Amino acid sequence: LSDDHRYDFMSFAPTAPRWLQTPALDRMRREGAHVRNAFVTTSLCSPSRASILTGQYAHRHGVVDNTSPIPRGTVFFPQHLKQAGYATGYIGKWHMGGQRDVGDAPQQKFAFAAARSTVTQAGKIKGKFSYMAPEYLQGQLDLRAYLFGLGVIAHELLTGRRLFNAKNDFATITALREMPIQPPSRWNPAIPRDLDDIVLTALQRNPDLRWQSASAMQTAITNVLRPRMSRLRHRRMSRSVSVSRLLVGSSRLRSFG
């Protein structure tokens, strides 16, 4: 659902100028519905948005201008969707009810929200979507969510490329939820399969299938790397011994000369 647009100023509109490009709105029309004969109940941003989100006229929901506070206990329809198991979200400025004291925070009405602000508020997710666990975007958070982010970082360190690299927040969130995740060895053949498995386990979208603790993930990484580190130390020691022998031999030759 997107609001506050001119009815004819979207690129799919027959009368839209040729230079106008609105790919996100075009996709919403293509994959959803375009209501061509809709009218707002008020001509102000905040009351109109409150009516859309509550299904009530301004005299009922109480947001009668752009500065009136949202009455305590006001219920928005995304809350019902969230309770029914739908993933809800809000992107953009909030601009409702004179919330200057709390920035643009949607006050827990949505599972997640992205709005421009320099202060983190209740109900607003701040940070990079590409490192967030999918359940975090639905308002569910425990320590396993951090292991998902760690998995993303590990994947990027091993491959040298962004994992969820999308052109905007909406596309990033879609990729985070739906994009098939390939093992790091697809881009870096030197990665052993055991390390692939560790990273992919951290990137499981179902937290119950993910590593259940950082220590468990650390133990798995140690078990994979210990034999390789031992072999590396052995090679370094052998090389050191060879160099030492060479130096000793050179010293004897100089003494003999």
Side-chain angles (χ1 to χ4, degrees):
L1 176 64
S2 183
D3 74 329
D4 270 10
H5 302 288
R6 247 180 69 161
Y7 78 96
D8 60 344
F9 231 61
M10 293 170 279
S11 58
F12 60 79
T15 57
R18 293 184 179 181
W19 50 261
L20 180 64
Q21 298 295 323
T22 56
L25 295 174
D26 294 353
R27 180 181 177 186
M28 291 177 68
R29 173 180 178 266
R30 185 172 62 252
E31 299 180 8
H34 174 218
V35 184
R36 293 182 296 176
N37 197 30
F39 300 87
V40 297
T41 55
T42 57
S43 57
L44 293 175
C45 297
S46 297
S48 175
R49 189 166 292 126
S51 291
I52 292 172
L53 293 171
T54 62
Q56 299 175 338
Y57 289 105
H59 72 278
R60 294 281 300 189
H61 59 60
V63 182
V64 296
D65 54 36
N66 288 338
T67 58
S68 298
I70 301 172
R72 186 179 299 275
T74 300
V75 177
F76 293 162
F77 78 84
Q79 293 174 264
H80 297 294
L81 293 176
K82 181 181 176 183
Q83 291 173 359
Y86 288 90
T88 63
Y90 176 91
I91 296 175
K93 68 175 185 178
W94 183 238
H95 192 195
M96 188 192 306
Q99 304 298 320
R100 292 188 178 88
D101 56 330
V102 294
D104 281 332
Q107 302 178 322
Q108 302 289 354
K109 305 296 186 182
F110 296 83
F112 80 90
R116 293 185 177 180
S117 176
T118 57
V119 182
T120 300
Q121 304 289 346
K124 180 186 299 184
I125 290 178
K126 298 289 287 185
K128 298 291 186 181
F129 287 119
S130 54
Y131 296 94
M132 292 180 182
E135 69 272 16
Y136 187 27
L137 299 176
Q138 299 178 18
Q140 303 167 10
L141 178 64
D142 60 33
L143 293 178
R144 295 173 297 180
Y146 296 105
L147 298 180
F148 184 91
L150 182 59
V152 176
I153 294 172
H155 195 288
E156 295 181 348
L157 287 173
L158 292 170
T159 62
R161 63 190 299 276
R162 294 287 300 276
L163 179 56
F164 300 109
N165 189 20
K167 58 186 179 181
N168 54 50
D169 287 342
F170 180 79
T172 300
I173 293 168
T174 301
L176 194 66
R177 289 179 172 148
E178 302 174 4
M179 185 189 84
I181 300 175
Q182 301 296 332
S185 60
R186 176 175 177 180
W187 291 275
N188 185 355
I191 302 299
R193 182 174 179 179
D194 291 343
L195 197 52
D196 272 344
D197 292 340
I198 290 173
V199 174
L200 292 179
T201 300
L203 291 171
Q204 287 289 332
R205 290 184 168 94
N206 182 346
D208 293 333
L209 302 178
R210 204 176 296 153
W211 296 107
Q212 298 301 291
S213 68
S215 60
M217 185 176 177
Q218 181 185 24
T219 299
I221 294 173
T222 301
N223 291 338
V224 169
L225 295 183
R226 182 181 288 125
R228 292 171 172 80
M229 295 302 294
S230 297
R231 288 196 294 271
L232 180 60
R233 281 195 296 268
H234 178 72
R235 285 198 297 269
R236 285 178 177 173
M237 288 178 62
S238 299
R239 192 174 303 150
S240 232
V241 169
S242 299
V243 171
S244 297
R245 287 175 179 172
L246 179 61
L247 291 174
V248 169
S250 298
S251 173
R252 288 176 178 172
L253 285 173
R254 284 197 298 270
S255 298
F256 180 78

